[in-house]
C-alpha cells in the first residue's frame, strides 16, 4: 500500500473548494415606484482556478521577462490579440477543472428577495454562496435551501428541492419537477404558501404534469335511484421553459466578451396543445364539462 500511495497523484482539497466561488451577476428587473432602474446582483457560480489575476501592467512585464527579445515579445502579443494560443498557454495546457471531473460548481443556498416595482411586487432569487457538488447520472430530487424574509423576524429557511441528473439519451429531455407539495411561511400580513418539489422525472422542456380536481357527480342506477359520487379528474398543468435566452445590456470596456449587466430573456409560453372533455351531472342536476390537458407545447 505504501508503494501505491507513493506514486498516486495527491488530491488538492483546498484547490477543489477554493476554485468554486460566487461571482457578481447583475440583471435589470425593471423600474421602482420612483421610476429609477433597478439592477440586482443575483450572483453566479463560476470557477476560479489558478492564481489571482495580475494587473495589465504586471501581466505585460511578466510576459516580457519570459521572452528573449523585444521582437519575440511583440510577436507573442500579436498572436494573443488575434486569438491564437500564446507560448504560456501552450506550456500550461489551460486551467484544471475547479471541482474535478466528478463534481460541478453549484449554489449552496439562495435567498428570495421581494422588490417593489412599478408593475407590482417582484420576487428575485439571489445566490448566497457556492460549493462543489457531486454529479449525478440519474434523475432525482436533491435538497435546495431557500431563505425567505431575509434579516427579518420572519426569516425562514425551507428545503424547496431541486431536480438533478443526466439529460438522458433523447435530445431535448432533461430532469424536471413532476411532483409538488407546499410549505407555510408566516409573514407580517398573512401566511404565505411556498411550493416545494417532491419528485422528478425525465421530460421535455415544455411538459405536462398531473393536477387532480374533485367534483361531485350525480348518477342514476338501473333502478332509477339517485346517487352522489366523488369524481376525480386529472386536468393537468403545463410546466417548463421556452426561453429565447438572456440579453446583455452592458459589456466591459476592456473585454467585450464579459457582460456586466444582463436583462432576462423574453421566452415563449408553455401552453396546452391537446385536451379531452369530461362531462357529468353536478349536484344541481346540471350538465357540467371539465376540460383536461393531454399535451403541451411552446407557443411563440
Amino acid at each position: 500500500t505504501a508503494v501505491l500511495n507513493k506514486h498516486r497523484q495527491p488530491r488538492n482539497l483546498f484547490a477543489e473548494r477554493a476554485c468554486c466561488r460566487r461571482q457578481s451577476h447583475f440583471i435589470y428587473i425593471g423600474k421602482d415606484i420612483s421610476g429609477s432602474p433597478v439592477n440586482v446582483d443575483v450572483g453566479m457560480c463560476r470557477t476560479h482556478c489558478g492564481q489571482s489575476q495580475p494587473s495589465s501592467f504586471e501581466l505585460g512585464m511578466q510576459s516580457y521577462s519570459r521572452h528573449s527579445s523585444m521582437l519575440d515579445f511583440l510577436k507573442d502579443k500579436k498572436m494573443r490579440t488575434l486569438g491564437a494560443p500564446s507560448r504560456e498557454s501552450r506550456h500550461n495546457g489551460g486551467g484544471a477543472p475547479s471541482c474535478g471531473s466528478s463534481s460541478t460548481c453549484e449554489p449552496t443556498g439562495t435567498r428570495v428577495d421581494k422588490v417593489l416595482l412599478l408593475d407590482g411586487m417582484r420576487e428575485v432569487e439571489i445566490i448566497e454562496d457556492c460549493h462543489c457538488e457531486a454529479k449525478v447520472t440519474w434523475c432525482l430530487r436533491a435538497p435546495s435551501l431557500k431563505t425567505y424574509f431575509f434579516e427579518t423576524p420572519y426569516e425562514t429557511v425551507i428545503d424547496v428541492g431541486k431536480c438533478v441528473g443526466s439529460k438522458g439519451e433523447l435530445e431535448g429531455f432533461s430532469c424536471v419537477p413532476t411532483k409538488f407539495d407546499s410549505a407555510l411561511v408566516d409573514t407580517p400580513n398573512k401566511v404565505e404558501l411556498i411550493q416545494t418539489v417532491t419528485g422528478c422525472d425525465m421530460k421535455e422542456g415544455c411538459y405536462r404534469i398531473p393536477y387532480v380536481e374533485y367534483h361531485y357527480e350525480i348518477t342514476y342506477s338501473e333502478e332509477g335511484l339517485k346517487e352522489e359520487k366523488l369524481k376525480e379528474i386529472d386536468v393537468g398543468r403545463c410546466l417548463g421553459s421556452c426561453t429565447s435566452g438572456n440579453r446583455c445590456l452592458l459589456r466591459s470596456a476592456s473585454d467585450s466578451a464579459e457582460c456586466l449587466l444582463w436583462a432576462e430573456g423574453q421566452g415563449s409560453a408553455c401552453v396546452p396543445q391537446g385536451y379531452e372533455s369530461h362531462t357529468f351531472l353536478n349536484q344541481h342536476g346540471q350538465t357540467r364539462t371539465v376540460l383536461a390537458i393531454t399535451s403541451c407545447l411552446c407557443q411563440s
Side-chain angles (χ1 to χ4, degrees):
T1 306
V3 175
L4 289 174
N5 287 339
K6 182 179 179 181
H7 296 285
R8 208 168 146 194
Q9 182 73 21
R11 191 175 172 198
N12 190 344
L13 295 175
F14 173 78
E16 287 189 2
R17 287 167 175 78
C19 286
C20 177
R21 296 179 184 172
R22 181 196 191 275
Q23 279 190 350
S24 291
H25 181 68
F26 285 89
I27 62 169
Y28 170 76
I29 61 171
K31 295 182 178 181
D32 62 18
I33 56 176
S34 70
S36 301
V38 179
N39 304 317
V40 180
D41 180 11
V42 296
M44 175 186 293
C45 290
R46 279 193 175 178
T47 58
H48 287 261
C49 282
Q51 297 176 349
S52 60
Q53 295 265 353
S55 66
S56 58
F57 174 76
E58 292 171 334
L59 191 61
M61 293 304 295
Q62 289 172 9
S63 300
Y64 176 63
S65 63
R66 285 193 295 269
H67 296 81
S68 56
S69 67
M70 177 60 77
L71 182 60
D72 282 345
F73 169 68
L74 293 174
K75 285 181 179 178
D76 196 62
K77 183 177 180 182
K78 184 176 181 180
M79 292 282 282
R80 287 199 306 272
T81 305
L82 295 173
S86 66
R87 191 175 295 180
E88 177 193 1
S89 62
R90 289 194 298 267
H91 177 73
N92 292 338
S98 64
C99 297
S101 58
S102 61
S103 301
T104 56
C105 185
E106 301 290 341
T108 55
T110 60
R111 76 173 190 263
V112 179
D113 285 358
K114 292 192 174 184
V115 184
L116 183 58
L117 301 176
L118 271 175
D119 55 355
M121 191 69 72
R122 171 78 179 274
E123 286 192 350
V124 183
E125 290 190 9
I126 298 173
I127 295 173
E128 294 186 306
D129 205 355
C130 306
H131 72 152
C132 292
E133 190 174 283
K135 291 180 182 177
V136 180
T137 55
W138 60 94
C139 181
L140 56 83
R141 188 245 190 224
S144 177
L145 302 180
K146 282 187 182 180
T147 303
Y148 294 85
F149 302 100
F150 181 62
E151 293 183 340
T152 75
Y154 296 91
E155 181 173 322
T156 307
V157 179
I158 297 178
D159 178 12
V160 298
K162 65 179 180 179
C163 294
V164 297
S166 171
K167 291 186 176 180
E169 297 177 358
L170 296 175
E171 184 69 26
F173 280 70
S174 56
C175 183
V176 294
T178 54
K179 294 180 181 179
F180 303 89
D181 201 352
S182 56
L184 294 176
V185 176
D186 288 328
T187 76
N189 303 304
K190 59 182 179 178
V191 175
E192 192 168 314
L193 201 63
I194 305 297
Q195 183 175 267
T196 61
V197 175
T198 59
C200 305
D201 203 355
M202 299 298 295
K203 298 285 184 181
E204 290 184 279
C206 173
Y207 58 98
R208 179 196 187 275
I209 63 165
Y211 191 87
V212 177
E213 288 184 356
Y214 292 94
H215 300 270
Y216 286 110
E217 178 184 19
I218 301 298
T219 61
Y220 292 90
S221 66
E222 293 180 358
E223 292 79 16
L225 296 175
K226 181 180 177 181
E227 294 182 41
E228 186 178 278
K229 296 181 179 179
L230 197 61
K231 186 177 183 66
E232 179 182 288
I233 304 175
D234 178 9
V235 296
R237 288 289 185 270
C238 290
L239 282 185
S241 58
C242 309
T243 58
S244 56
N246 295 336
R247 294 181 296 112
C248 183
L249 298 180
L250 179 63
R251 295 193 176 275
S252 170
S254 58
D255 183 7
S256 60
E258 180 185 358
C259 184
L260 302 177
L261 181 62
W262 292 87
E264 292 179 320
Q266 299 296 323
S268 56
C270 179
V271 297
Q273 179 184 26
Y275 67 92
E276 60 185 12
S277 60
H278 299 262
T279 304
F280 56 94
L281 289 178
N282 64 14
Q283 288 175 302
H284 305 290
Q286 299 170 336
T287 302
R288 174 85 187 276
T289 300
V290 175
L291 300 180
I293 299 168
T294 57
S295 60
C296 305
L297 84 164
C298 290
Q299 186 181 64
S300 57

